[in-house]
Amino acid sequence: DSNRSEKLSTIGAIAAVVLALYLSSLYSYLLFHSLIEIVTVAVAFTLFILTWNTRGYSENNYLRLLGIGYAFIAMIDLIHTLAYKGMNVFPGYGSSNLPAQLWITARYLQAVTLVAAPLFVARRLNDRAAIAGFAVAVSVLVAAVFSGNFPDCFIEGKGLTAFKIGTEYVISTVLIVSLYLY
């Protein structure tokens, strides 16, 4: 009886969250987008916290690489959330290009992480090297975006660029490869 009560409570909580998100989307798309993005960032950081805190007794290098990778992906996703048009966090970057560029960099990093992780099922992962590699990659990608050296992904009045559309196909292909490797 208590198991059923727990299940009903869980379903009720999930339904309330979904309803609240839906109502927030009716009120303000910016609010809705920010809430969704913050949740995904929290989930990614939680994955890192869980994998990092279990590294002492878990020898699963696959999951540890995913955890480390998702911490850095979450960093870019958080910047993407703050850069979203209308947030006004980054003066001088008022268009939709900046968040689109950050979205693409995060998805590239995610795809590469998901392809690389299965390679560490039977290999030892050097945590420091992995963290350093991700830190360098994120620094280079974010610097390229903010310095104007990353290709445009969205042009006001025209929409998505050929680069953004094409690169999403590349990312999808890499994700399919990662699924195969998994």
Side-chain angles (χ1 to χ4, degrees):
D1 189 41
S2 73
N3 191 22
R4 183 176 174 184
S5 177
E6 274 184 46
K7 286 181 181 179
L8 288 173
S9 296
T10 302
I11 291 170
I14 291 170
V17 168
V18 170
L19 178 63
L21 287 172
Y22 173 71
L23 293 174
S24 75
S25 75
L26 296 177
Y27 175 74
S28 165
Y29 180 75
L30 187 59
L31 173 63
F32 171 74
H33 179 266
S34 298
L35 290 173
I36 294 294
E37 292 287 345
I38 288 168
V39 168
T40 63
V41 167
V43 168
F45 275 124
T46 301
L47 176 62
F48 166 71
I49 291 166
L50 287 171
T51 58
W52 190 255
N53 287 328
T54 59
R55 75 188 185 284
Y57 51 88
S58 172
E59 296 183 21
N60 193 329
N61 294 306
Y62 168 82
L63 286 177
R64 204 161 64 242
L65 182 65
L66 284 180
I68 293 168
Y70 271 91
F72 286 93
I73 294 163
M75 289 179 202
I76 298 175
D77 280 341
L78 181 59
I79 298 168
H80 157 80
T81 303
L82 297 173
Y84 205 76
K85 187 175 181 177
M87 294 291 281
N88 301 321
V89 173
F90 300 108
Y93 295 96
S95 76
S96 296
N97 188 42
L98 179 64
Q101 290 173 313
L102 291 164
W103 176 259
I104 287 297
T105 60
R107 301 300 63 86
Y108 262 123
L109 189 61
Q110 183 178 35
V112 168
T113 301
L114 289 169
V115 162
L119 303 175
F120 287 92
V121 167
R123 291 188 179 116
R124 183 150 170 75
L125 177 68
N126 181 327
D127 293 337
R128 289 182 183 182
I131 290 170
F134 278 108
V136 168
V138 167
S139 298
V140 167
L141 289 169
V142 171
V145 169
F146 278 94
S147 68
N149 292 314
F150 194 85
D152 287 334
C153 292
F154 187 89
I155 298 174
E156 296 292 331
K158 292 185 179 182
L160 299 176
T161 63
F163 169 76
K164 174 143 186 329
I165 294 167
T167 203
E168 287 187 340
Y169 282 109
V170 170
I171 291 168
S172 295
T173 302
V174 173
L175 290 173
I176 289 169
V177 169
S178 74
L179 185 60
Y180 172 77
L181 292 174
Y182 176 73

